[in-house]
Amino acid sequence: MNLEQLEKLMEKERRELNRMADLHGLKDERVLDKSSRLDRIMDKYLHTKREINQTHS
């Protein structure tokens, strides 16, 4: 995935996470799972961005 795709995916996951948290509460297992998924996507985004920056340095 490129940075633009990851950014769109992060925004989608963030919206879903916020909606789920409103519906189920912050301690609900589904909300915690969604939060972990968003964390992994954000890690991938940062890793990809670092690789791009190192390539262009």
Side-chain angles (χ1 to χ4, degrees):
M1 275 191 172
N2 66 34
L3 286 179
E4 184 178 338
Q5 292 169 319
L6 288 167
E7 287 171 357
K8 288 179 181 178
L9 184 57
M10 282 190 301
E11 285 304 315
K12 176 183 174 282
E13 292 293 321
R14 245 188 228 120
R15 285 191 303 272
E16 289 178 13
L17 176 60
N18 288 330
R19 182 187 59 78
M20 290 174 70
D22 288 343
L23 286 172
H24 306 292
L26 295 175
K27 294 182 180 181
D28 186 89
E29 191 66 32
R30 294 166 288 189
V31 174
L32 297 174
D33 288 344
K34 179 64 77 172
S35 178
S36 293
R37 176 170 162 70
L38 179 55
D39 286 344
R40 288 190 302 274
I41 295 166
M42 291 171 70
D43 288 343
K44 175 69 174 164
Y45 174 84
L46 292 172
H47 178 77
T48 302
K49 191 170 182 176
R50 268 189 235 115
E51 283 183 339
I52 290 170
N53 287 338
Q54 288 176 353
T55 302
H56 292 101
S57 295

